[in-house]
Amino acid sequence: MDGSLAPETFTDLELVAGQFVKIALSVLFVFGLIFNLIKSIKAISPKTRMVRLGLMVLFGLLAWPMIKYAIMDGYLWLEPVFAQGRTIGHCEQALRGKALAYEYEIEGKTYRGCQTYHPISLSEIQVEGGHYWVRYSPKYPWRGKIYFNKAVD
C-alpha cells in the first residue's frame, strides 16, 4: 500500500477529532499558565503569589503531554506510512473498553498496540492471526493505528 493513498476510515476521523481536542485543551492549559504567571507577578501577598505559581506549574504539567501527543499524532495524520500488522487477540483499552491487540514490525523492531474496532463488527475481523494495514509515522513508529477494514491481500 502506498503511503500517499491513505484509506478513508474511522481512524482518520478519530485522528482529526483527537487532534481538535488535544489542541483545544493545550490552548486552554497554556492560557491558564500565562494567566497565572501574570497574576503571580502582580500579586501583592506572598501567599497569593505561591498559589498562582502552583497553578501555573499545574497548567504547565497538564499542557505538556497534550502538546506532545498532538505533535506525535500530527505526524501520524499528515505523514503516514503503512506496514503490515497482525492481530494477536483481545485486550482492554482504557476508557474505551473491549479492543484487539496487534503487532507490526518496522526495521526489525516489533511494536504492539491495542485498539478498539468500533464501528466495525468483531465478526468481520480475524481476532488472531489476521493481517491488516497499520498506519504509523517514521518519526514515532510506536504510535501506529491498525485499519481493521483494510486486510492485507
Side-chain angles (χ1 to χ4, degrees):
M1 176 178 253
D2 180 5
S4 64
L5 299 174
E8 294 297 322
T9 66
F10 70 97
T11 304
D12 293 328
L13 296 175
E14 203 173 52
L15 280 171
V16 171
Q19 285 297 87
F20 177 77
V21 170
K22 284 184 283 270
I23 290 169
L25 285 174
S26 296
V27 168
L28 286 172
F29 292 148
V30 169
F31 174 79
L33 186 150
I34 294 169
F35 178 79
N36 282 290
L37 174 65
I38 292 167
K39 288 293 190 177
S40 72
I41 292 169
K42 293 181 178 181
I44 297 169
S45 159
K47 183 178 177 182
T48 303
R49 180 171 286 133
M50 291 306 292
V51 169
R52 291 292 182 178
L53 288 173
L55 287 170
M56 186 182 80
V57 169
L58 174 66
F59 282 117
L61 291 172
L62 291 170
W64 175 250
M66 286 293 158
I67 293 168
K68 183 175 89 173
Y69 288 119
I71 290 168
M72 283 195 265
D73 285 351
Y75 279 101
L76 180 63
W77 182 39
L78 298 173
E79 298 178 8
V81 179
F82 295 87
Q84 293 183 25
R86 182 175 69 89
T87 53
I88 55 177
H90 293 277
C91 60
E92 283 285 323
Q93 195 174 39
L95 304 175
R96 293 187 180 186
K98 295 179 183 180
L100 291 178
Y102 61 95
E103 63 184 13
Y104 56 103
E105 189 176 311
I106 299 166
E107 296 180 5
K109 183 159 175 141
T110 301
Y111 299 97
R112 291 185 174 200
C114 179
Q115 185 176 313
T116 60
Y117 43 86
H118 178 77
I120 299 168
S121 170
L122 185 59
S123 63
E124 297 176 33
I125 302 168
Q126 186 175 344
V127 175
E128 290 188 31
H131 294 274
Y132 301 92
W133 290 108
V134 175
R135 178 185 194 151
Y136 73 97
S137 163
K139 190 159 177 112
Y140 305 104
W142 61 90
R143 299 268 304 161
K145 299 280 187 187
I146 193 165
Y147 284 79
F148 291 118
N149 65 341
K150 295 290 181 183
V152 175
D153 296 325

